[in-house]
Short mmCIF file of all heavy atoms in Angstrom, two decimals:
data_model
loop_
_atom_site.label_atom_id
_atom_site.label_comp_id
_atom_site.label_asym_id
_atom_site.label_seq_id
_atom_site.Cartn_x
_atom_site.Cartn_y
_atom_site.Cartn_z
N LEU A 87 67.19 -88.24 70.82
CA LEU A 87 66.63 -86.90 70.62
C LEU A 87 65.11 -86.90 70.70
O LEU A 87 64.51 -85.92 71.17
CB LEU A 87 67.08 -86.35 69.27
CG LEU A 87 68.50 -85.79 69.21
CD1 LEU A 87 68.88 -85.49 67.76
CD2 LEU A 87 68.63 -84.52 70.06
N ILE A 88 64.47 -87.96 70.23
CA ILE A 88 63.01 -87.96 70.18
C ILE A 88 62.38 -88.65 71.39
O ILE A 88 61.16 -88.62 71.53
CB ILE A 88 62.51 -88.63 68.88
CG1 ILE A 88 62.93 -90.12 68.84
CG2 ILE A 88 63.03 -87.90 67.66
CD1 ILE A 88 62.42 -90.86 67.63
N LYS A 89 63.20 -89.24 72.27
CA LYS A 89 62.62 -89.86 73.46
C LYS A 89 62.11 -88.80 74.42
O LYS A 89 62.65 -87.68 74.50
CB LYS A 89 63.67 -90.72 74.18
CG LYS A 89 63.91 -92.07 73.52
CD LYS A 89 64.82 -92.93 74.36
CE LYS A 89 64.14 -93.41 75.61
NZ LYS A 89 64.97 -94.38 76.36
N GLU A 90 61.10 -89.14 75.18
CA GLU A 90 60.51 -88.19 76.12
C GLU A 90 61.47 -87.90 77.26
O GLU A 90 62.11 -88.81 77.80
CB GLU A 90 59.20 -88.76 76.68
CG GLU A 90 58.48 -87.82 77.64
CD GLU A 90 57.21 -88.43 78.19
OE1 GLU A 90 56.94 -89.61 77.88
OE2 GLU A 90 56.51 -87.74 78.94
N ASP A 91 61.60 -86.63 77.60
CA ASP A 91 62.45 -86.20 78.71
C ASP A 91 61.60 -86.14 79.97
O ASP A 91 60.77 -85.25 80.14
CB ASP A 91 63.07 -84.84 78.40
CG ASP A 91 63.96 -84.35 79.54
OD1 ASP A 91 64.47 -85.21 80.28
OD2 ASP A 91 64.12 -83.12 79.69
N ILE A 92 61.79 -87.12 80.85
CA ILE A 92 60.99 -87.23 82.07
C ILE A 92 61.80 -86.66 83.24
O ILE A 92 62.91 -87.12 83.51
CB ILE A 92 60.60 -88.69 82.36
CG1 ILE A 92 59.80 -89.25 81.18
CG2 ILE A 92 59.81 -88.79 83.65
CD1 ILE A 92 59.49 -90.72 81.29
N VAL A 93 61.24 -85.68 83.92
CA VAL A 93 61.87 -85.07 85.08
C VAL A 93 60.99 -85.33 86.30
O VAL A 93 59.77 -85.08 86.23
CB VAL A 93 62.08 -83.55 84.89
CG1 VAL A 93 62.76 -82.94 86.10
CG2 VAL A 93 62.89 -83.28 83.62
N PRO A 94 61.53 -85.84 87.41
CA PRO A 94 60.70 -86.08 88.60
C PRO A 94 60.01 -84.80 89.06
O PRO A 94 60.56 -83.70 88.96
CB PRO A 94 61.71 -86.57 89.64
CG PRO A 94 62.84 -87.12 88.84
CD PRO A 94 62.91 -86.30 87.60
N ALA A 95 58.79 -84.95 89.58
CA ALA A 95 57.99 -83.79 89.95
C ALA A 95 58.65 -82.96 91.04
O ALA A 95 58.57 -81.73 91.04
CB ALA A 95 56.60 -84.25 90.40
N ARG A 96 59.32 -83.63 92.00
CA ARG A 96 59.92 -82.92 93.12
C ARG A 96 61.41 -82.66 92.92
O ARG A 96 62.10 -82.25 93.86
CB ARG A 96 59.71 -83.71 94.40
CG ARG A 96 58.26 -83.84 94.80
CD ARG A 96 58.11 -84.53 96.14
NE ARG A 96 56.72 -84.65 96.54
CZ ARG A 96 56.32 -85.17 97.70
NH1 ARG A 96 57.22 -85.63 98.57
NH2 ARG A 96 55.03 -85.23 98.00
N ALA A 97 61.91 -82.87 91.73
CA ALA A 97 63.33 -82.64 91.47
C ALA A 97 63.63 -81.14 91.42
O ALA A 97 62.74 -80.32 91.12
CB ALA A 97 63.73 -83.28 90.14
N ASP A 98 64.88 -80.79 91.72
CA ASP A 98 65.35 -79.42 91.53
C ASP A 98 65.66 -79.28 90.04
O ASP A 98 66.73 -79.69 89.57
CB ASP A 98 66.59 -79.16 92.39
CG ASP A 98 67.00 -77.70 92.41
OD1 ASP A 98 66.79 -77.01 91.38
OD2 ASP A 98 67.56 -77.26 93.42
N LYS A 99 64.72 -78.72 89.30
CA LYS A 99 64.78 -78.79 87.84
C LYS A 99 65.99 -78.07 87.25
O LYS A 99 66.55 -78.52 86.25
CB LYS A 99 63.48 -78.25 87.24
CG LYS A 99 62.28 -79.14 87.56
CD LYS A 99 61.01 -78.60 86.99
CE LYS A 99 59.86 -79.60 87.22
NZ LYS A 99 59.71 -79.99 88.63
N SER A 100 66.41 -76.96 87.83
CA SER A 100 67.57 -76.25 87.30
C SER A 100 68.85 -77.05 87.51
O SER A 100 69.67 -77.19 86.60
CB SER A 100 67.69 -74.87 87.95
OG SER A 100 67.81 -74.98 89.36
N VAL A 101 69.02 -77.62 88.71
CA VAL A 101 70.21 -78.45 88.99
C VAL A 101 70.17 -79.72 88.15
O VAL A 101 71.18 -80.16 87.61
CB VAL A 101 70.29 -78.77 90.49
CG1 VAL A 101 71.47 -79.69 90.78
CG2 VAL A 101 70.41 -77.49 91.30
N HIS A 102 69.01 -80.31 88.05
CA HIS A 102 68.84 -81.53 87.25
C HIS A 102 69.19 -81.27 85.79
O HIS A 102 69.78 -82.13 85.12
CB HIS A 102 67.38 -81.98 87.37
CG HIS A 102 67.09 -83.30 86.73
ND1 HIS A 102 66.73 -83.42 85.40
CD2 HIS A 102 67.10 -84.56 87.23
CE1 HIS A 102 66.52 -84.69 85.11
NE2 HIS A 102 66.74 -85.41 86.21
N PHE A 103 68.88 -80.08 85.29
CA PHE A 103 69.17 -79.74 83.90
C PHE A 103 70.65 -79.41 83.68
O PHE A 103 71.23 -79.76 82.66
CB PHE A 103 68.30 -78.55 83.48
CG PHE A 103 68.60 -78.01 82.11
CD1 PHE A 103 68.15 -78.68 80.98
CD2 PHE A 103 69.35 -76.86 81.95
CE1 PHE A 103 68.44 -78.20 79.71
CE2 PHE A 103 69.64 -76.37 80.69
CZ PHE A 103 69.18 -77.03 79.56
N LEU A 104 71.27 -78.74 84.66
CA LEU A 104 72.64 -78.28 84.48
C LEU A 104 73.69 -79.38 84.66
O LEU A 104 74.80 -79.28 84.13
CB LEU A 104 72.95 -77.14 85.47
CG LEU A 104 72.25 -75.80 85.20
CD1 LEU A 104 72.53 -74.83 86.33
CD2 LEU A 104 72.74 -75.23 83.88
N ALA A 105 73.37 -80.44 85.40
CA ALA A 105 74.36 -81.48 85.70
C ALA A 105 74.96 -82.11 84.44
O ALA A 105 76.18 -82.17 84.30
CB ALA A 105 73.75 -82.54 86.61
N PRO A 106 74.16 -82.61 83.48
CA PRO A 106 74.79 -83.21 82.28
C PRO A 106 75.54 -82.19 81.43
O PRO A 106 76.54 -82.53 80.81
CB PRO A 106 73.59 -83.80 81.52
CG PRO A 106 72.40 -83.09 82.04
CD PRO A 106 72.70 -82.75 83.46
N ILE A 107 75.08 -80.93 81.44
CA ILE A 107 75.80 -79.90 80.67
C ILE A 107 77.17 -79.65 81.27
O ILE A 107 78.18 -79.55 80.56
CB ILE A 107 74.97 -78.61 80.63
CG1 ILE A 107 73.64 -78.85 79.90
CG2 ILE A 107 75.75 -77.48 79.97
CD1 ILE A 107 72.72 -77.65 79.92
N LEU A 108 77.23 -79.56 82.60
CA LEU A 108 78.50 -79.27 83.28
C LEU A 108 79.50 -80.41 83.10
O LEU A 108 80.69 -80.17 82.83
CB LEU A 108 78.25 -79.02 84.77
CG LEU A 108 79.48 -78.71 85.63
CD1 LEU A 108 80.16 -77.44 85.13
CD2 LEU A 108 79.08 -78.56 87.10
N ILE A 109 79.04 -81.65 83.20
CA ILE A 109 79.96 -82.77 83.08
C ILE A 109 80.49 -82.91 81.66
O ILE A 109 81.66 -83.24 81.44
CB ILE A 109 79.28 -84.08 83.57
CG1 ILE A 109 80.33 -85.16 83.84
CG2 ILE A 109 78.26 -84.59 82.57
CD1 ILE A 109 79.77 -86.37 84.54
#
Side-chain angles (χ1 to χ4, degrees):
L87 281 171
I88 63 177
K89 282 187 71 173
E90 182 181 3
D91 180 25
I92 301 173
V93 181
R96 296 185 179 183
D98 189 328
K99 293 179 174 54
S100 59
V101 177
H102 187 272
F103 174 77
L104 289 174
I107 297 175
L108 180 61
I109 196 170

